[in-house]
Amino acid sequence: MKRKGRIIYHVDMNSFYASVEMAYRPELKGKPVAIAGNPEERRGIVVTSSYEARAKGVKTTMPLWQAYDHYPELIVLKPNFDRYREASRSMFSILSKFTPIVQPVSIDEGYMDVTDYVGNRNPVELAKSIQKRILDELDLPSSIGIAPNKFLAKMASNMKKPLGITVLRKREIKDKLWNLPIGEMYGVGQKTEEKLRKIDIETIGNLAQKDVLTLKNLLGINGERLHQRANGIDDRPVDPDAVNEFKSIGNSTTLPYDMTDQTEINKVFMQLSEKVAARMDRKGVVSENIQIMIRYHDRKTITRSKQLTQFVETTNEIVTIAKQLFQQHWNEEPIRLLGVTAQHLTPKDEMAKQLDLFNYEKDAEKEELYLAVDKIKEKYGKDAFIKPKDHQAELNTSFQKDFLNEYKEK
Amino acid sequence: MKILIEREPLMASIQNVMKAISSKTTIPILSGIKFEANEQEVKLTGSNSDITIESVISREEDGIVNIHEIIPGQIVVQAKFLPEIIRKLPDNQIEIQVDDDMNINIRSGHAEFKLNGQDPEEYPQLPVLQTENSFDIQIDLLKMLIRQTNFAVSTSETRPILTGVHIKLDNNELGLVATDSHRLASRKITIDQVENLSFNNVVIPGKSLSELNKILEDTQDTLQISVTDNQILFRTKHLYFLSRLLDGNYPETSRLIPDQSKTVMKVNSKDLIQSIDRASLLAKDNRNNIVKLVTQGQQNIQITSHSPEIGQVEELLQTISIEGEEIKISFNAKYMIDALRAIDSEQVLINFTGAMRPFVIRPEEESEQILQLVTPVRTY
């Protein structure tokens, strides 16, 4: 069964560092608190501040002396990054209990795709329970934007702070989005803002109604993208893999029964390698180190990896190495779980492949095609080619797994 | 055993056999050098599982006395300290004496070293090579053949057979081929008086050849090469160099060499080497040391390279001529420079057949039977 649209949350922690400090030291609550490098020296700048401090005119990146000018009683704390990382992990761990499709964007914000997990619940109620849980368990305030895509969700979470929940439907963009000044649009930086203002685009609405060609000439491919966003169109998926960008891609599976049969085991390796290869393809990366994991019936677990001299990307390449490793390291005891991980990943566009004398024909055959593709890319930008994908099918693979493991292991 | 010997020939011999001695040997006795003295000469032997080197010092040669005194005998001496000891002895004459308990006494001037020896009976018997398959070659020529091919052997054990140089003798033609599957070096020469001799699929480990090349002096003396199924022997007057051969079938490489081309470039090789060398200053930082070559019209080529973090370099080079289609090709700078250096000709011809196909580099004078093949890098 397919839904009409997606339901995306953007969860944004409110003045995160300051809130974490307040959670540690409740006596600070309700007070103007700023986090800054070198509070003693007055030379530091404000990294973040509580809403109370903001109310007094303290702003992020403001030099400390200036902040003191605004408000002499300002409480300034040194940043405590370990504390923030820890809080961030706990926060994402909570989010991942609601849906595995969580994409952390930074230490204090992330997207969730709850389309398939919201069930019969009201999306606003679900968001409230998420917000409440973060507040109850971690004592941290957050704002959540609810929308059919990432861009609108991001814009929505910004509309009401702290502890806001804002729904931004596509049909509401004229009323809620278009009147905002162009500089507030996510994706429009200072430079872009200047350029847009020069052609009299003052609001997001102006941008939405401008013709695409003008924007494309002004900003290139990005102009078209911004135009779409301003019209509420954004089809980027929430991608849990983005969190471990280019570190590793792995899949593992617990076997239905403890296995010793080589043929069965090879089948499992084939399936796992297929998944890994598909995910690598989706991320546009290649690997030069393949690792396998074997967990035996007694839960004893080993990982073994092989450093390669050539990049690998296809199922066949991966499964061959995985099986080799398995042959070398299996002690013939029954196996409960198997895993395959591609490590040392490199984005394809940064890499080059040394062709092999004995099999260069495989690449050479497609030379004409590559030449044509290059020409088109030169003309229309790198995103001119996207492989067609079935979004539903993606959700069924366990591609979120390693991301989630990071939180589950805690 | 007792010998009174001149330092210089002894030192040279020790250094030769040391090339075969590995500090990581699993057979303890092979960490030593075997000394064998008879009335006429002293023979030193060093060995590991791949190569065995014997170096002979004659009592007297060309009117120069090397050894003043010999009482025949044998001993195995720990190799680790020997070269330094001999080098630092105060006098140019060295006396080495071994007693019945295998204690070694090395004396020179007022210095005296007492070393523990090992039983020569325990030293492995070296195989005696029985073969009719022998031919002679001039040493400096052999050294050149090694230099022109051996650099292209594979250093990775993924395909062990490619870590060796393939040699083939047929119809008076000796051919050497080495490839690491990314580039290939091939060299042929004509050899006289070997009408009845032919062999194929003889693959010598690249390491053996580079050690051999270090030991052999660049002279016009001849050296005898004998080949059996699993070993090859290089023999000069004073030197035995025995190497194991690699097991397995060397891939058929002649089919890899393109017989047609779409672009033919004639270029001064020194200019090209220097230009690519400059470009690779930045390229060394990227994975494959990639340099890009783009033809511009009938005369010029552009050599470029870039490294995302560092910057880029661009250079225009005038060639002697370019014929055929335009080409844009990327390759590993090291492979190209290695190939051009091996050819060692003032001008080279480079034949391209497309950006994803290997290109052939040959000296401009066609009589030279040398060919270098380089596979390009595909950039995404």
Side-chain angles (χ1 to χ4, degrees), chain A residues 91-147:
Chain A
M91 183 268 289
F92 283 115
S93 172
I94 291 175
L95 299 189
S96 62
K97 279 176 185 140
F98 289 89
T99 164
I101 312 177
V102 175
Q103 177 185 355
V105 180
S106 70
I107 194 162
D108 62 349
E109 59 173 313
Y111 293 103
M112 304 168 73
D113 185 335
V114 297
T115 317
D116 292 357
Y117 297 84
V118 69
N120 298 323
R121 279 167 293 186
N122 178 332
V124 178
E125 291 304 316
L126 180 66
K128 269 187 192 159
S129 62
I130 293 170
Q131 192 181 54
K132 184 167 182 301
R133 207 156 148 189
I134 299 172
L135 191 63
D136 288 351
E137 288 182 22
L138 306 176
D139 200 7
L140 296 174
S142 58
S143 293
I144 301 181
I146 306 173

Side-chain angles (χ1 to χ4, degrees), chain B residues 14-15 17 22 25 46 50 56 91 99 107 126 146 148 164 191 194 225 235 248 252 296 305 308 370-372:
Chain B
I14 289 174
Q15 277 168 340
V17 301
S22 155
T25 178
D50 290 337
V56 176
D91 207 72
D99 68 15
R107 206 186 324 222
L126 300 176
I146 295 175
Q148 289 179 330
I191 301 231
V194 286
I225 299 179
R235 179 158 48 180
E252 177 51 49
Q296 302 198 327
S305 178
I370 180 167
L371 171 153
Q372 302 281 338

Side-chain angles (χ1 to χ4, degrees), chain B residues 9 14 38 40 72 76 95 104 118 129 168 203 209-210 228 235 244 254 260 267 274 283 316 356 361 369:
Chain B
I14 289 174
N38 65 32
Q40 284 79 42
V76 176
E95 187 195 82
I104 304 162
Q118 282 172 283
L129 214 62
K168 178 177 163 182
V203 187
L209 285 178
S210 59
T228 68
R235 179 158 48 180
R244 132 188 112 86
S254 57
Q260 49 185 351
V267 63
Q274 287 175 350
L316 210 62
M356 305 238 194
I361 314 166
Q369 290 184 301

Side-chain angles (χ1 to χ4, degrees), chain A residues 9-149:
Chain A
Y9 290 177
H10 180 255
V11 181
D12 196 4
M13 304 305 289
N14 304 136
S15 54
F16 185 58
Y17 295 173
S19 301
V20 173
E21 294 299 341
M22 288 176 173
Y24 267 84
R25 296 164 56 186
E27 73 272 15
L28 293 174
K29 278 190 187 171
K31 293 188 178 146
V33 174
I35 312 294
N38 291 334
E40 298 89 4
E41 293 190 29
R42 295 178 63 92
R43 282 192 293 131
I45 60 159
V46 175
V47 180
T48 188
S49 56
S50 67
Y51 286 92
E52 292 78 8
R54 289 180 201 187
K56 303 284 181 188
V58 176
K59 285 186 179 129
T60 300
T61 73
M62 184 181 265
L64 258 190
W65 57 266
Q66 208 176 334
Y68 280 121
D69 276 356
H70 279 278
Y71 195 63
E73 280 93 78
L74 184 68
I75 301 166
V76 179
L77 303 172
K78 244 189 195 168
N80 196 334
F81 290 108
D82 286 340
R83 221 173 250 184
Y84 310 148
R85 269 194 288 271
E86 171 66 29
S88 173
R89 262 198 294 271
S90 311
M91 183 268 289
F92 283 115
S93 172
I94 291 175
L95 299 189
S96 62
K97 279 176 185 140
F98 289 89
T99 164
I101 312 177
V102 175
Q103 177 185 355
V105 180
S106 70
I107 194 162
D108 62 349
E109 59 173 313
Y111 293 103
M112 304 168 73
D113 185 335
V114 297
T115 317
D116 292 357
Y117 297 84
V118 69
N120 298 323
R121 279 167 293 186
N122 178 332
V124 178
E125 291 304 316
L126 180 66
K128 269 187 192 159
S129 62
I130 293 170
Q131 192 181 54
K132 184 167 182 301
R133 207 156 148 189
I134 299 172
L135 191 63
D136 288 351
E137 288 182 22
L138 306 176
D139 200 7
L140 296 174
S142 58
S143 293
I144 301 181
I146 306 173
N149 62 47

Side-chain angles (χ1 to χ4, degrees), chain A residues 104-221:
Chain A
V105 180
S106 70
I107 194 162
D108 62 349
E109 59 173 313
Y111 293 103
M112 304 168 73
D113 185 335
V114 297
T115 317
D116 292 357
Y117 297 84
V118 69
N120 298 323
R121 279 167 293 186
N122 178 332
V124 178
E125 291 304 316
L126 180 66
K128 269 187 192 159
S129 62
I130 293 170
Q131 192 181 54
K132 184 167 182 301
R133 207 156 148 189
I134 299 172
L135 191 63
D136 288 351
E137 288 182 22
L138 306 176
D139 200 7
L140 296 174
S142 58
S143 293
I144 301 181
I146 306 173
N149 62 47
K150 279 166 122 177
F151 171 71
L152 293 178
K154 169 99 186 171
M155 295 305 294
S157 71
N158 207 25
M159 286 174 178
K160 194 176 166 215
K161 283 179 171 179
L163 284 171
I165 288 182
T166 311
V167 179
L168 184 54
R169 296 180 182 86
K170 213 166 153 184
R171 60 174 183 272
E172 295 169 337
I173 57 173
K174 272 184 195 157
D175 303 329
K176 290 191 178 176
L177 195 67
W178 283 12
N179 53 352
L180 293 178
I182 190 67
E184 289 201 9
M185 179 169 167
Y186 175 61
V188 175
Q190 213 177 332
K191 279 268 163 63
T192 312
E193 182 182 349
E194 276 169 28
K195 282 187 194 163
L196 289 172
R197 283 187 187 276
K198 272 196 189 134
I199 56 165
D200 293 328
I201 293 178
E202 301 287 336
T203 65
I204 299 179
N206 293 157
L207 177 68
Q209 284 160 325
K210 197 81 190 174
D211 70 296
V212 187
L213 208 64
T214 315
L215 293 169
K216 232 175 153 177
N217 286 337
L218 185 73
L219 303 169
I221 265 305

